[in-house]
């Protein structure tokens, strides 16, 4: 197992700072006094958003849960965790861009499809097959035709 020692951020210096395209995340490359390097991410804290589940249950929007779901379902179609992080950030921007106190889980899934449609066509089809619970080859054909139609 690797060294899991705690790194004190106060005892480090910033080597590089980058702001995300949406201006909501800051990535900092840091170095400790003993030369170890690590990355920190700072995100704007957003207002509380309630997700209304299909079962009728309610729970707070959880970015980590969204990241985990996307990683599990289509993560292998991306080159790095940073690409997945970017997808999650775009989905989050869509979700919070609705300026509502609550959102249904179906709308979050549609937002994921919107972003995947722009970023990774294989991940788009894979996610659509799970999200829309495909049971036949015809449903795959329909989603492919739909996707091709949006790319013209």
């Amino acid at each position: 197992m690797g060294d899991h020692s705690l790194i004190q951020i106060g005892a480090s210096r910033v080597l590089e700072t980058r702001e995300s395209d949406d201006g909501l995340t800051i990535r900092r490359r840091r170095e400790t006094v003993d030369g170890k390097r690590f990355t920190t991410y700072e995100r704007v804290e957003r207002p509380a958003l309630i997700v209304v589940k299909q079962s009728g249950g309610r729970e707070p929007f959880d970015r980590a849960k969204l990241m985990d779901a996307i990683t599990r379902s289509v993560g292998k179609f991306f080159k790095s965790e940073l690409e997945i992080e970017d997808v999650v950030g775009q989905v989050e921007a869509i979700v919070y861009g609705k300026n509502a106190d609550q959102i249904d889980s179906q709308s979050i899934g549609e937002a994921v499809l919107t972003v995947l449609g722009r970023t990774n066509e294989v991940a788009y089809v894979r996610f659509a097959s799970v999200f829309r619970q495909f049971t036949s080859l015809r449903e795959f054909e329909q989603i492919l035709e739909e996707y091709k139609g949006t790319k013209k």
Side-chain angles (χ1 to χ4, degrees), residues 48-62 65 95 98 100-110 131:
L49 177 66
I50 300 299
V51 176
V52 180
K53 313 281 284 176
Q54 286 181 329
S55 65
R58 297 169 179 272
E59 63 184 46
F61 177 80
D62 185 345
K65 188 174 179 179
V95 167
K98 295 184 182 295
D101 296 357
Q102 62 183 24
I103 188 167
D104 59 272
S105 57
Q106 188 76 19
S107 295
I108 295 172
E110 292 298 335
F131 177 63

Side-chain angles (χ1 to χ4, degrees), residues 52-84:
V52 180
K53 313 281 284 176
Q54 286 181 329
S55 65
R58 297 169 179 272
E59 63 184 46
F61 177 80
D62 185 345
R63 186 179 204 286
K65 188 174 179 179
L66 177 62
M67 177 83 170
D68 185 51
I70 291 172
T71 300
R72 274 193 335 265
S73 61
V74 295
K76 64 185 172 188
F77 300 110
F78 291 92
K79 295 177 186 152
S80 71
E81 190 171 315
L82 288 176
E83 286 184 342
I84 299 169

Side-chain angles (χ1 to χ4, degrees), residues 121 124-125 141-152:
E121 60 191 18
Y124 171 83
V125 173
E141 291 169 342
Q142 286 174 326
I143 198 72
L144 289 171
E145 288 304 315
E146 178 184 308
Y147 183 78
K148 287 178 190 176
T150 63
K151 290 298 173 182
K152 289 182 180 178

Side-chain angles (χ1 to χ4, degrees), residues 11-66:
S12 67
R13 66 185 180 103
V14 175
L15 301 174
E16 175 187 5
T17 299
R18 287 191 186 170
E19 189 173 306
S20 65
D21 291 337
D22 61 11
L24 296 174
T25 305
I26 297 173
R27 175 185 175 269
R28 299 188 197 279
R29 274 306 281 161
R30 297 177 175 268
E31 183 176 55
T32 62
V33 290
D34 62 354
K36 293 182 181 174
R37 292 184 177 200
F38 62 101
T39 303
T40 60
Y41 294 91
E42 299 170 18
R43 285 191 187 78
V44 171
E45 189 170 328
R46 299 207 187 236
L49 177 66
I50 300 299
V51 176
V52 180
K53 313 281 284 176
Q54 286 181 329
S55 65
R58 297 169 179 272
E59 63 184 46
F61 177 80
D62 185 345
R63 186 179 204 286
K65 188 174 179 179
L66 177 62

